[in-house]
Amino acid sequence: MHKKLGVILSDRGSKYAVSGGPAKNRAEVDALLKSLKRDKAYAKATHNTWGVLFADGTPLKGDDGESGAGMVILRMLEREGLTDHVIVVTRSYGGKHLGGDRFRHVQTCVSAYIDGA
C-alpha cells in the first residue's frame, strides 16, 4: 500500500508531488513504481526520482533523469533513520530550468512526506 500526497509545490511551471510506501527489497520498490505509474499524472511526469534505505543498510536510488535527486532523498532517509520505505518525488517539468532550487524542492517534498508518514 502506498501513499500519495499529491502536488506539494509549484515553481516556474514545474510541479512537485511526493509519494511512497513500504519496500523491503528491489522487487517491492519496482512494484510500487509500477503501481504509481498506472496513474496518468505520474506516468506522464518528467521525473519520478526515488530512494530507499533497506534495514540491512543497503541504499538504492533512482534519478530518472534528474541527476542527484535520488541521493538527496537517500540522505534524508538516512538522517531520519527511515528504513524499508521508498519515497518517490515526482516532477512535471514546466519549461524553465530551476538550477539548485530543484534540490530544495525535493527536500521540501521528502520532509512533507516524512512529517505526514
Side-chain angles (χ1 to χ4, degrees), residues 91-110:
R91 177 183 179 193
S92 295
Y93 182 63
K96 293 199 166 98
H97 292 287
L98 303 181
D101 287 341
R102 71 185 198 274
F103 297 115
R104 281 190 287 286
H105 297 334
V106 169
Q107 289 174 327
T108 297
C109 287
V110 173

Side-chain angles (χ1 to χ4, degrees), residues 53-117:
L53 180 63
F54 295 119
D56 68 1
T58 303
L60 277 182
K61 63 182 175 60
D63 288 337
D64 192 26
E66 185 81 289
S67 185
M71 184 55 78
V72 171
I73 298 167
L74 200 51
R75 282 192 190 122
M76 292 184 75
L77 288 169
E78 288 170 345
R79 266 197 305 270
E80 288 293 320
L82 184 57
T83 59
D84 292 339
H85 202 94
V86 62
I87 295 180
V88 182
V89 176
T90 300
R91 177 183 179 193
S92 295
Y93 182 63
K96 293 199 166 98
H97 292 287
L98 303 181
D101 287 341
R102 71 185 198 274
F103 297 115
R104 281 190 287 286
H105 297 334
V106 169
Q107 289 174 327
T108 297
C109 287
V110 173
S111 291
Y113 185 87
I114 290 171
D115 291 346

Side-chain angles (χ1 to χ4, degrees), residues 3-78:
K3 178 170 73 171
K4 292 188 242 184
L5 296 186
V7 175
I8 299 296
L9 63 95
S10 297
D11 182 6
R12 289 166 267 178
S14 286
K15 290 184 171 63
Y16 285 81
V18 65
S19 53
K24 292 184 190 279
N25 54 51
R26 179 60 194 253
E28 290 182 5
V29 170
D30 291 342
L32 186 138
L33 290 169
K34 185 177 179 182
S35 171
L36 191 63
K37 290 177 184 178
R38 284 192 199 110
D39 182 325
K40 214 181 298 186
Y42 293 87
K44 289 184 173 186
T46 315
H47 309 287
N48 284 293
T49 59
W50 58 271
V52 62
L53 180 63
F54 295 119
D56 68 1
T58 303
L60 277 182
K61 63 182 175 60
D63 288 337
D64 192 26
E66 185 81 289
S67 185
M71 184 55 78
V72 171
I73 298 167
L74 200 51
R75 282 192 190 122
M76 292 184 75
L77 288 169
E78 288 170 345

